[in-house]
C-alpha cells in the first residue's frame, strides 16, 4: 500500500510515543495528502531541531542554547533546584508554571530489574552544582512509583552531607479526585502526608 517509502514513514511514526500502527498510518496519510503544507515544513523542522537541540550542560534540559534558557534566566530563584527523572517531567512542571527555580534532570530512576544503577544517573553534576553553594533547597520531583520512591530515598541520603534542605513533592489525592475511587496506596500516602487546614 503506497510503496516502501510510505511503509517506512509509517514504521518510523509508529515508534513515537502514543502512536501505534493505526495512528501512524492516519498521520502518514495526512502528511502525504498535503506534502508542501505539512510534510516539508515538518521535515525542515526535524532537521533543524536535530542539528540545533542539545542537552544543557548544567541541568540536562533540551534546548538550542547551552546553557539552556531556564539556566540563563536571571529571574529564576537560583536557591532551589528541582530534580526530575526526565526532560518530559521538567517540561510538564514548566507548563504548569509551578516552579520558578532551576532544574536538574537525572536521566532515569534506579531500577534493579531494568538494569539502571546509580552510575547511570546524572548525580555527580548535581553534587557539583550544590558544592558551588548557591542552592539551599533540592526538591525531589520523582514519580510515585517504586523506582521513583527508591531513587528519592537514595538521593536524599546522598544529598544529606551537602547541607541543603531536601524536600519531596506531595503525593496523594488529586484535585477533583473522589476518595472512593482511589487505590489504597494513594489514600495511605495522602493521609501520612497530611498538613494543617
Amino acid at each position: 500500500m503506497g510503496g516502501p517509502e510510505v511503509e517506512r514513514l509509517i514504521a518510523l511514526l509508529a515508534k513515537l510515543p502514543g502512536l501505534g500502527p493505526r495512528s501512524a498510518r492516519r498521520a502518514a496519510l495526512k502528511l502525504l495528502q498535503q506534502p508542501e503544507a505539512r510534510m516539508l515544513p515538518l521535515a525542515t523542522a526535524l532537521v533543524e531541531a536535530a542539528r540545533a537541540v542539545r542537552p544543557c550542560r548544567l541541568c540536562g534540559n533540551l534546548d538550542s542554547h547551552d546553557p539552556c534558557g531556564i539556566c540563563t534566566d536571571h529571574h529564576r530563584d537560583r536557591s532551589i533546584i528541582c530534580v526530575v527523572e526526565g526532560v518530559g517531567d521538567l517540561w510538564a512542571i514548566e507548563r504548569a508554571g509551578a516552579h520558578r527555580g532551576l532544574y536538574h534532570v537525572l536521566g532515569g530512576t534506579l531500577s534493579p530489574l531494568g538494569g539502571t544503577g546509580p552510575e547511570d544517573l546524572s548525580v555527580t553534576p548535581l553534587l557539583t552544582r550544590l558544592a558551588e553553594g548557591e542552592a539551599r533547597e533540592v526538591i525531589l520531583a520523582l514519580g510515585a512509583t517504586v523506582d521513583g520512591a527508591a531513587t528519592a530515598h537514595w538521593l536524599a541520603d546522598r544529598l544529606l552531607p551537602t547541607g541543603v534542605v531536601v524536600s519531596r513533592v506531595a503525593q496523594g489525592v488529586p484535585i477533583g479526585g473522589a476518595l472512593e475511587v482511589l487505590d489504597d496506596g494513594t489514600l495511605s500516602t495522602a493521609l501520612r502526608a497530611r498538613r494543617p487546614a
Side-chain angles (χ1 to χ4, degrees):
M1 221 175 352
E5 297 84 3
V6 173
E7 290 305 317
R8 181 168 181 258
L9 174 62
I10 292 168
L12 289 171
L13 289 172
K15 291 181 180 181
L16 296 173
L19 288 181
R22 290 177 61 177
S23 297
R25 191 168 299 284
R26 284 193 300 271
L29 182 59
K30 277 291 185 193
L31 290 169
L32 291 166
Q33 285 174 336
Q34 293 182 324
E36 282 79 25
R38 292 185 177 146
M39 186 175 273
L40 295 179
L42 176 61
T44 301
L46 288 170
V47 169
E48 289 173 357
R51 288 184 180 149
V53 176
R54 297 286 178 260
C56 173
R57 71 178 181 272
L58 299 177
C59 73
N61 185 24
L62 294 175
D63 200 321
S64 57
H65 297 92
D66 187 17
C68 71
I70 292 173
C71 287
T72 57
D73 183 350
H74 298 292
H75 296 94
R76 293 206 168 249
D77 185 347
R78 304 188 103 53
S79 69
I80 304 173
I81 297 176
C82 183
V83 176
V84 294
E85 179 181 342
V87 175
D89 298 328
L90 185 157
W91 288 1
I93 294 170
E94 276 299 290
R95 192 172 52 249
H99 178 64
R100 293 302 302 158
L102 300 177
Y103 291 93
H104 185 81
V105 178
L106 278 182
T109 55
L110 296 175
S111 176
L113 295 176
T116 306
E119 66 282 355
D120 299 313
L121 303 180
S122 176
V123 177
T124 303
L126 174 61
L127 295 173
T128 301
R129 291 173 76 184
L130 296 176
E132 293 169 358
E134 201 170 1
R136 293 189 320 263
E137 180 182 2
V138 172
I139 302 168
L140 301 178
L142 302 173
T145 62
V146 172
D147 291 345
T151 304
H153 181 71
W154 174 81
L155 193 53
D157 286 346
R158 292 284 313 260
L159 298 176
L160 189 62
T162 66
V164 299
V165 173
V166 179
S167 60
R168 289 198 60 190
V169 292
Q171 299 168 350
V173 180
I175 293 175
L179 294 182
E180 63 188 29
V181 298
L182 296 177
D183 64 275
D184 296 345
T186 300
L187 281 173
S188 297
T189 301
L191 287 169
R192 283 194 308 273
R194 65 189 181 277
R195 58 184 174 82

